[in-house]
Amino acid sequence: MLKQLLLEIYKADYVSKSNLAVKLDSPVPLVEEGFAELVRLGYLLEDASLNCQDRPCGRCPYASMCQKEPLKTWTITEKGRALLEDYQAAV
Amino acid sequence: MPITIALMGNPNSGKTTLFNALTGANQHVGNWPGVTVERKEGQTRHGNQVYTVVDLPGTYSLGAFSEDEVVAREFILTGNPDVVINVVDATNIERNLYLTTQLLEMGAKVVVALNMVDEAEARQISVDEKALSRRLGIPVIPTVASKRKGIDELMEAATATIRAPLNGHVRLSYGESIDGKIAELEDLLKNGDLAYPPGWLALKLLEGDEYLRKVVDVSLKLQGSDEFTRFWDEMAVQAEDFQLEIVDSRYKFVGDVTKDVVRRPEVAVQTTTDKVDRVLTHKYWGMPIFAVIMFIVFQLTFAIGQDLLGRWMATGVEYAGGLLESLLVTVNAPQWLIDFAENGVVGGVGAVIEFVPLIVILYMLMGFLEDSGYMARAAYVMDNTMRAVGLQGKTFISMIVGFGCNVPGVMATRTLESKKDRMIAILINPFMSCGAKIPIYLVFIAAFFPSYGGLVLFSVYALGILVAFLMGKIFSKTLFKGETSHFIMELPPYRKPTLGNVLRNMWDNVSGFLTRAGTTIFAVVSLLWVLAVLPVGVEPYGAESILGRIGLLIAPIFEPAGFGNWQAAVGLFSGIAAKEAVVAILGMVYAGVEEGMELVMAIREVFTPLTAISFMVMTLLYTPCAATLGTIKKETGSAKWALFSATYTFAIAWVLAVLVFQVGRLLGFS
Ligand SMILES: Nc1nc2c(ncn2[C@@H]2O[C@H](COP(=O)(O)OP(=O)(O)O)[C@@H](O)[C@H]2O)c(=O)[nH]1
């Protein structure tokens, strides 16, 4: 199931957890759990986002604006790609 | 013999609340030996029995991923708790049961506290706790920890579980081959005299648990056994597959169980989201829709911010200025101070503040879009366009940040892996019109295009994006070449924006803006005010002042763009210190020209609609502010790139401004 989830993520243009949920016929929280496991196993990477510690915000008056995360992005790791290749070859 | 209960659960499942409900004031806090993880322990009473309750760290899993996980599982296996109460969040049961599954694997006696059932009910999530209990083979007790509901029943079930022998709980299968390997390994480990249950240990070793691997290696070596090493050498090739298979088995199990016991009302919402997304992120329609939405945002900004609130603010600034002046006169302040207050503070800083209502509204509307989830769709659409012109899509994230301020915008490029992408993203970020430039456009809009405010502002932003794309394309073809990396953007679910979020967003922006007005801009204005009234004897704010002479020196550069007057030159120049200063300085130098003359009126006399446009193009694109340049220097690690950025943006801005003016003139505009 996790392999299939990874494959769907790979095939999709964008990650929409609700969309994946429909595709895999699973509830959204289960899809979320799947993401967490794939990350834990090192197949999927939630892209590093910046937080204020990385930034010299100091007393900049706009600091509170900058800390907001505009977007979340994911990358399938080398390990994940290798897994998908094997999987697709097998299917 | 005291009876020990261990509390275990995901973060935010309500574990602390339950712990407090159970123990009340009877608790003390320490540390787990050897680590910095907090250890909380307390006493509770049920019937006439006293129980020790140990609150284990909240975790999602029981691997060796973090200190928390290791502490929790060590305690369960070697701390001999009589029962583990597993707090499960009923609203998010799929995520929580993964941990439950692992507790069952450990062979611990487990009782599930199905917490937050009130919240689940409110969200129309129904969990059949009896069926869940049957599937897991352990008691499941619904609780509302925050209201102390279900606590007695929970303690009752825990007590019964402690008394009864361990049996009946479900055993997962990980597939034939893994189950076989587990049995094989278990046999080997049985003789090893290890502190953990051999079955569980075998499972964890196959799952690739490095922490336990070390423990076992050392321990068996000490015992002189090399069977384990041999087994392991044979196994090594398959290890990774086993890990995935084992995790996947748990995942499947959780999916199977929840499918039967949880009912959610979300299916309709999901398909709507999908349908809406298909339109909003459409290959061809996505971009025009984004443009229309932004256009509406800008239009609304003017409709509400200018027509409704703008006049009120202008009157307010004027009134406050008058008050300040008469106050200074009454206390017999020196003439220079009165002059400074009038022209520097009110004329300059006040000119910036007058535009606060528009900025408030603009950011409120943007906050609304952000909060609703639309911005992610817009980013996706832009991302596709960027990829189409050969740019790394993630660049757009730094560009979005740049709309607020280029400093974090440039810093946000750190998320780009390749050096090439990153350099390009840094160099084009300043073309994103930052918040500090807004007052400049607003002044010129008020002077010349009051009924087309939305359109003008929209065009300015669009031009910035266009130039950024173009330059990005050019850079990727010339300066930097290389592979672009791939990533997938997440589109979050749509949400109804909450008033609180929108207001907070707005306040963050406005307070930032006002703070800047009171500090940086004030400082720049003060400094330039001195230059504008010196040397003593010349006409203040005149061409003979130091400031005027500097301006006259630069002004000829801008002659071909149509605004070769010294005031505009000084304004642009001051913008390199901080972009808000442009309007402030224009306000100051023009306010001094004629008593009580409003900036907008002055602009109308000095500029024409055509030169106003070329000036706006110039301010949109020219040299970024000092803070941004400093950040570019820092992020690229070289002053050369900062210098390059400063000059090439200026060159592009100048060329386009000249182009606007000259072509416009040829076409008969003035
Ligand atoms: N509605 C509801 N909220 C709860 C319940 N139990 C805890 N909470 C709330 O959930 C939040 C997280 O609880 P907390 O005990 O800090 O979670 P922990 O991270 O697992 O320790 C707090 O705001 C609690 O007040 C419950 O049964 N129902």
mmCIF file of all heavy atoms in Angstrom, chain B residues 187-201:
data_model
loop_
_atom_site.group_PDB
_atom_site.id
_atom_site.type_symbol
_atom_site.label_atom_id
_atom_site.label_comp_id
_atom_site.label_asym_id
_atom_site.label_seq_id
_atom_site.Cartn_x
_atom_site.Cartn_y
_atom_site.Cartn_z
ATOM 1 N N ASP B 187 14.346 -17.784 17.580
ATOM 2 C CA ASP B 187 14.994 -18.959 18.165
ATOM 3 C C ASP B 187 16.436 -18.673 18.549
ATOM 4 O O ASP B 187 16.900 -19.073 19.607
ATOM 5 C CB ASP B 187 14.967 -20.133 17.162
ATOM 6 C CG ASP B 187 13.646 -20.877 17.267
ATOM 7 O OD1 ASP B 187 12.972 -20.689 18.307
ATOM 8 O OD2 ASP B 187 13.292 -21.615 16.328
ATOM 9 N N LEU B 188 17.113 -17.995 17.640
ATOM 10 C CA LEU B 188 18.513 -17.643 17.914
ATOM 11 C C LEU B 188 18.622 -16.760 19.150
ATOM 12 O O LEU B 188 19.525 -16.902 19.959
ATOM 13 C CB LEU B 188 19.100 -16.876 16.729
ATOM 14 C CG LEU B 188 19.555 -17.684 15.526
ATOM 15 C CD1 LEU B 188 20.054 -16.743 14.442
ATOM 16 C CD2 LEU B 188 20.667 -18.615 15.957
ATOM 17 N N LEU B 189 17.696 -15.815 19.248
ATOM 18 C CA LEU B 189 17.794 -14.821 20.307
ATOM 19 C C LEU B 189 17.356 -15.354 21.661
ATOM 20 O O LEU B 189 17.741 -14.840 22.700
ATOM 21 C CB LEU B 189 16.955 -13.584 19.944
ATOM 22 C CG LEU B 189 17.438 -12.817 18.705
ATOM 23 C CD1 LEU B 189 16.375 -11.823 18.246
ATOM 24 C CD2 LEU B 189 18.748 -12.100 18.987
ATOM 25 N N LYS B 190 16.527 -16.383 21.619
ATOM 26 C CA LYS B 190 15.998 -16.947 22.862
ATOM 27 C C LYS B 190 17.111 -17.342 23.822
ATOM 28 O O LYS B 190 17.023 -17.148 25.020
ATOM 29 C CB LYS B 190 15.136 -18.178 22.548
ATOM 30 C CG LYS B 190 13.660 -17.894 22.652
ATOM 31 C CD LYS B 190 12.859 -19.159 22.382
ATOM 32 C CE LYS B 190 11.440 -18.784 21.980
ATOM 33 N NZ LYS B 190 10.859 -19.773 21.063
ATOM 34 N N ASN B 191 18.168 -17.869 23.229
ATOM 35 C CA ASN B 191 19.270 -18.331 24.071
ATOM 36 C C ASN B 191 20.207 -17.203 24.471
ATOM 37 O O ASN B 191 21.174 -17.414 25.168
ATOM 38 C CB ASN B 191 20.088 -19.395 23.332
ATOM 39 C CG ASN B 191 19.178 -20.411 22.681
ATOM 40 O OD1 ASN B 191 18.177 -20.803 23.275
ATOM 41 N ND2 ASN B 191 19.509 -20.817 21.460
ATOM 42 N N GLY B 192 19.921 -16.008 23.935
ATOM 43 C CA GLY B 192 20.874 -14.925 24.105
ATOM 44 C C GLY B 192 20.805 -14.196 25.423
ATOM 45 O O GLY B 192 21.629 -13.343 25.695
ATOM 46 N N ASP B 193 19.832 -14.500 26.239
ATOM 47 C CA ASP B 193 19.740 -13.841 27.526
ATOM 48 C C ASP B 193 19.728 -12.312 27.382
ATOM 49 O O ASP B 193 20.542 -11.613 27.958
ATOM 50 C CB ASP B 193 20.920 -14.273 28.412
ATOM 51 C CG ASP B 193 20.675 -13.872 29.867
ATOM 52 O OD1 ASP B 193 19.489 -13.721 30.227
ATOM 53 O OD2 ASP B 193 21.663 -13.692 30.601
ATOM 54 N N LEU B 194 18.802 -11.833 26.563
ATOM 55 C CA LEU B 194 18.686 -10.393 26.340
ATOM 56 C C LEU B 194 17.501 -9.853 27.131
ATOM 57 O O LEU B 194 16.595 -10.604 27.484
ATOM 58 C CB LEU B 194 18.496 -10.114 24.852
ATOM 59 C CG LEU B 194 19.749 -10.442 24.027
ATOM 60 C CD1 LEU B 194 19.373 -10.938 22.648
ATOM 61 C CD2 LEU B 194 20.665 -9.234 23.969
ATOM 62 N N ALA B 195 17.520 -8.545 27.368
ATOM 63 C CA ALA B 195 16.499 -7.964 28.239
ATOM 64 C C ALA B 195 15.138 -7.798 27.559
ATOM 65 O O ALA B 195 14.180 -7.390 28.192
ATOM 66 C CB ALA B 195 16.994 -6.620 28.759
ATOM 67 N N TYR B 196 15.060 -8.099 26.253
ATOM 68 C CA TYR B 196 13.808 -7.861 25.538
ATOM 69 C C TYR B 196 13.145 -9.159 25.132
ATOM 70 O O TYR B 196 13.833 -10.169 24.949
ATOM 71 C CB TYR B 196 14.089 -7.045 24.282
ATOM 72 C CG TYR B 196 14.873 -5.791 24.525
ATOM 73 C CD1 TYR B 196 16.253 -5.756 24.280
ATOM 74 C CD2 TYR B 196 14.252 -4.637 25.000
ATOM 75 C CE1 TYR B 196 16.980 -4.608 24.497
ATOM 76 C CE2 TYR B 196 14.984 -3.487 25.229
ATOM 77 C CZ TYR B 196 16.348 -3.471 24.972
ATOM 78 O OH TYR B 196 17.064 -2.336 25.196
ATOM 79 N N PRO B 197 11.835 -9.124 24.924
ATOM 80 C CA PRO B 197 11.162 -10.327 24.422
ATOM 81 C C PRO B 197 11.749 -10.699 23.056
ATOM 82 O O PRO B 197 11.814 -9.849 22.177
ATOM 83 C CB PRO B 197 9.694 -9.895 24.266
ATOM 84 C CG PRO B 197 9.583 -8.546 24.858
ATOM 85 C CD PRO B 197 10.930 -8.004 25.118
ATOM 86 N N PRO B 198 12.180 -11.939 22.875
ATOM 87 C CA PRO B 198 12.891 -12.316 21.649
ATOM 88 C C PRO B 198 12.065 -12.137 20.378
ATOM 89 O O PRO B 198 12.612 -11.766 19.335
ATOM 90 C CB PRO B 198 13.244 -13.790 21.863
ATOM 91 C CG PRO B 198 12.574 -14.217 23.120
ATOM 92 C CD PRO B 198 12.125 -13.025 23.864
ATOM 93 N N GLY B 199 10.757 -12.375 20.450
ATOM 94 C CA GLY B 199 9.916 -12.220 19.261
ATOM 95 C C GLY B 199 9.909 -10.784 18.774
ATOM 96 O O GLY B 199 10.083 -10.489 17.585
ATOM 97 N N TRP B 200 9.749 -9.917 19.695
ATOM 98 C CA TRP B 200 9.720 -8.491 19.365
ATOM 99 C C TRP B 200 11.079 -8.036 18.853
ATOM 100 O O TRP B 200 11.195 -7.309 17.879
ATOM 101 C CB TRP B 200 9.315 -7.683 20.600
ATOM 102 C CG TRP B 200 9.337 -6.208 20.388
ATOM 103 C CD1 TRP B 200 8.366 -5.471 19.773
ATOM 104 C CD2 TRP B 200 10.364 -5.286 20.773
ATOM 105 N NE1 TRP B 200 8.724 -4.160 19.738
ATOM 106 C CE2 TRP B 200 9.953 -4.013 20.347
ATOM 107 C CE3 TRP B 200 11.592 -5.430 21.429
ATOM 108 C CZ2 TRP B 200 10.718 -2.877 20.556
ATOM 109 C CZ3 TRP B 200 12.361 -4.284 21.640
ATOM 110 C CH2 TRP B 200 11.924 -3.026 21.206
ATOM 111 N N LEU B 201 12.106 -8.501 19.542
ATOM 112 C CA LEU B 201 13.469 -8.137 19.169
ATOM 113 C C LEU B 201 13.763 -8.580 17.738
ATOM 114 O O LEU B 201 14.333 -7.831 16.941
ATOM 115 C CB LEU B 201 14.444 -8.801 20.143
ATOM 116 C CG LEU B 201 15.871 -8.275 20.186
ATOM 117 C CD1 LEU B 201 15.895 -6.778 20.384
ATOM 118 C CD2 LEU B 201 16.651 -8.973 21.298
#
